[in-house]
Amino acid sequence: MNVVSLYNRLSRLPMGKTLFSRAVCQTAPYFSSISPTVETLAPGRCVVTMKKRRKVTNHLKTVHAIAMCNMAELAGGLLTDASIPKGARWIPSGMTVKYLKKAKTDLTATADGSSLDWSEEGTVRVPVSVTDTSGQEVFHALIDMNIKHTR
C-alpha cells in the first residue's frame, strides 16, 4: 500500500490523521520531536501542522529554527513519496532555508509540488512554506530531493 492510500484510509477514521502521523514518526523517529500532524497528503501537495510547545522553542520563546527545518523536511518528504512514479526512490540531498520572521504561534508547513516534474531522475527542488496562524510566512525552504527510478 502506498503512502497516499494509507493516509486516505486512516484519515477517514476518528483520530485517523493523528494515527497516520504517529505511524510516520515510528518509521522516522526524529520527526516525533515536533509532534506533527499530517493534515493533507496527495500527489503534489502535503500540509503538516505543529503546535508551538515548550519543547520546540528557543531561548526567545519562538519556534526553534531546526524544528521548522524538521517540519519542512517531513512535508517535503511525504510530498515526494506521494508524487514520484511507482517504483522510484528518493532521498533528501540538501536544503536551503530562509528565516523570514519570528515564529510565535502554531505553524503550518505546505509543500507544493504541483508544478514539479516527477518523471525524471535527478534532483527535484521541493518548495515548502511555513506560515503562522495569521497566514504570514515565517520560514521558507527549498529541499533538494534526489530521485532514482528502479526498473
Side-chain angles (χ1 to χ4, degrees):
M1 179 178 295
N2 71 32
V3 70
V4 174
S5 297
L6 180 60
Y7 176 80
N8 289 337
R9 176 185 252 175
L10 288 176
S11 66
R12 288 190 290 255
L13 301 173
M15 300 289 293
K17 291 178 181 180
T18 300
L19 289 171
F20 177 83
S21 301
R22 288 184 181 165
V24 169
C25 290
Q26 286 294 315
T27 303
Y30 186 69
F31 290 126
S32 65
S33 67
I34 63 168
S35 301
T37 300
V38 180
E39 301 290 347
T40 304
L41 180 59
R45 184 168 173 82
C46 181
V47 178
V48 174
T49 58
M50 173 178 71
K51 295 214 176 288
K52 181 186 174 208
R53 299 177 174 90
R54 186 176 188 285
K55 72 179 184 174
V56 297
T57 58
N58 57 27
H59 64 291
L60 302 172
K61 296 185 175 54
T62 61
V63 178
H64 194 282
I66 299 306
M68 289 187 283
C69 288
N70 195 356
M71 182 184 203
E73 186 178 341
L74 174 60
L78 285 171
L79 163 83
T80 301
D81 210 51
S83 302
I84 59 176
K86 185 176 181 174
R89 298 176 318 188
W90 63 274
I91 190 164
S93 58
M95 185 182 331
T96 303
V97 300
K98 290 187 179 180
Y99 307 104
L100 305 170
K101 295 179 73 168
K102 289 181 182 177
K104 299 177 181 180
T105 68
D106 298 347
L107 299 175
T108 300
T110 303
D112 181 0
S114 59
S115 65
L116 300 175
D117 181 1
W118 298 101
S119 65
E120 298 293 323
E121 281 196 337
T123 300
V124 174
R125 298 198 91 195
V126 176
V128 183
S129 175
V130 176
T131 56
D132 63 17
T133 55
S134 71
Q136 293 291 309
E137 188 175 33
V138 297
F139 173 95
H140 189 83
L142 285 173
I143 305 173
D144 295 337
M145 298 296 189
N146 188 355
I147 311 294
K148 297 286 185 205
H149 293 219
T150 57
R151 288 195 178 109

